[in-house]
Amino acid sequence: MTEQLATMDFHPQPQAGEAKPWAFPAPERAALDNGLTVLRCHRPGQQVVAVEVLLDAPLDAEPAGLDGVATIMARAFSEGTDKHSAEEFAAELERAGATLDAHADHPGVRISLEVPASRLAKGLGLVADALRAPAFAESEVERLVRNRLDEIPHELASPARRAAKELSKELFPATARMSRPRQGTEETVEKIDAAAVRAFYDRHVRPATATAVVVGDLTGIDLDELLGETLGAWTGTPGEPRPVPAVTADDTGRVVIVDRPGAVQTQLLIGRVGADRHDRVWPAQVLGTYCLGGTLTSRLDRVLREEKGYTYGVRAFGQVLRSGPEGDGASMLAISGSVDTPNTGPALDDLWKVLRTLAAEGLTDAERDVAVQNLVGVAPLKYETAAAVAGTLADQVEQHLPDDFQATLYRQLAATGTVEATAAAVNAFPVDRLVTVLVGDAAEIKAPVEALGIGGVTVVAAE
């Protein structure tokens, strides 16, 4: 054996190559003759091209009493045009190997297309037809309205969705669109018809206030010509971006219990409104919030899941609600999870202790370092697909951010220290300025929660 080993040809062990620096892709900006803004990003090797079209049709533009009309319009874009019926349109998408999705949110309506690069012309043509001449057939709109009405009871039956609905209702004034469900209620959706959808489209959808984001391998594609023949053929009247109303909220510390008699678990949603991405505290707020509850190793999970066994997981997060060109937006800062009913009081007690300890003792350097590695170190993997890059670029457009925002954010996260992250997390989740929504059995949890002294307790019916 020794002789055999002596005569074997051992190749040297491969050495690790030098790491290549990574930065979030920078897009190129242009505008079509019809006023449509275009952001393009060439990503070699990404043979599935992602396209995001953003329409300046925000939820607060919906007519009074017609909450949900933006959602129905978004869904109706793929239900036929002047060239194709709904069935034909779906068949054409399938032939192109494309997927098309659309949704409405507070900043506006977004249409998302994914299509092989070789079929990009076909995919863009279908999107252009949907924007240029949507059919909005009465029968299709009626079907979409029925589908939406069928969805609402299922959403109300979900403890997490019910908690989110109640938190929005609590935080924002009743006159604000943010206080009501994004996709409307049964009362408002049932009033929507094809005429209402058409009127909303005519009032708010036009190329001059829209943006298209195109990301993928564009090798051999004359994108200027292609866009000119498709989205460039969409015409409309000039329009100015709508003014963005200020976000106001009441985060006075209080508790609302949505009563679910007999529930074996309690859904927790604790939140308030805080700084958005225009605020210079945002990087530190992202880092501090992640340390608090961004992953399985974060502080909340370590205490409530590992040490106490109350829950399968608790998360802290920040979600941008809406941003204006003047930076007058806001984000939802929240902690969510579920616990078994008997431990609702103890779990909330320990959660508040975690927040108080954070304020008194701060984060550790180790917590900060793990958070930076998880947020910054894995970024190249997060943006492996064209769709992920296009979605983030579209977010930046919606939130009136510069094109290099995401790239700058990663540098800022890496440079943020433990002290700054601690201060941002403490300011994001002050123990006396949190609205707590609990979906559970009020008869079992009301008294223990009242004993905690975290705010007045109100009980409402589950609907």
Side-chain angles (χ1 to χ4, degrees), residues 135-317:
F136 295 147
E138 189 74 47
S139 60
E140 297 297 340
V141 172
E142 289 177 356
R143 180 179 59 81
L144 292 171
V145 167
R146 290 195 303 271
N147 289 348
R148 177 65 199 131
L149 291 173
D150 288 341
E151 293 171 356
I152 294 174
H154 295 284
E155 293 171 357
L156 294 177
S158 164
R161 298 289 291 270
R162 185 63 184 84
K165 176 186 176 184
E166 195 65 31
L167 182 59
S168 295
K169 181 180 177 182
E170 281 291 322
L171 280 174
F172 305 109
T175 54
R177 182 63 181 87
M178 284 187 181
S179 70
R180 305 189 296 275
R182 286 174 168 84
Q183 299 180 74
T185 64
E186 289 185 352
E187 180 183 2
T188 62
V189 172
E190 64 184 8
K191 298 176 183 177
I192 298 171
D193 57 17
V197 173
R198 173 66 64 179
F200 189 74
Y201 166 86
D202 289 340
R203 188 177 181 89
H204 300 291
V205 179
R206 53 179 58 87
T209 56
T211 299
V213 179
V214 183
V215 179
D217 192 331
L218 304 176
T219 303
I221 298 174
D222 188 339
L223 191 60
D224 290 329
E225 180 180 356
L226 189 54
L227 289 171
E229 294 173 349
T230 54
L231 291 174
W234 172 28
T235 60
T237 59
E240 294 294 328
R242 298 182 73 259
V244 178
V247 177
T248 59
D250 177 11
D251 62 0
T252 302
R254 59 196 185 277
V255 180
V256 178
I257 299 175
V258 180
D259 190 19
R260 287 271 175 90
V264 297
Q265 286 190 325
T266 301
Q267 182 71 37
L268 316 175
L269 185 58
I270 303 163
R272 63 189 296 268
V273 169
D276 77 342
R277 294 183 180 185
H278 288 267
D279 197 300
R280 63 182 181 180
V281 79
W282 181 260
Q285 183 173 281
V286 168
L287 193 58
T289 301
Y290 191 91
C291 290
L292 178 64
T295 186
L296 289 173
T297 60
S298 299
R299 190 171 290 198
L300 283 172
D301 243 34
R302 194 165 64 244
V303 173
L304 300 183
R305 183 178 65 89
E306 294 184 16
E307 296 179 11
K308 302 292 185 175
Y310 295 142
T311 177
Y312 289 115
V314 176
R315 292 291 173 270
F317 60 91

Side-chain angles (χ1 to χ4, degrees), residues 32-38 52-56 73 77 109 111 124-125 127-134 198 201-202 204-212 226-237:
L32 302 184
D33 291 342
N34 60 1
L36 178 74
T37 300
V38 176
E52 300 275 347
V53 180
L54 294 83
L55 306 176
D56 188 24
M73 181 190 73
F77 277 128
V109 171
I111 300 174
L124 282 175
V127 172
D129 287 343
L131 289 168
R132 177 187 56 79
R198 173 66 64 179
Y201 166 86
D202 289 340
H204 300 291
V205 179
R206 53 179 58 87
T209 56
T211 299
L226 189 54
L227 289 171
E229 294 173 349
T230 54
L231 291 174
W234 172 28
T235 60
T237 59

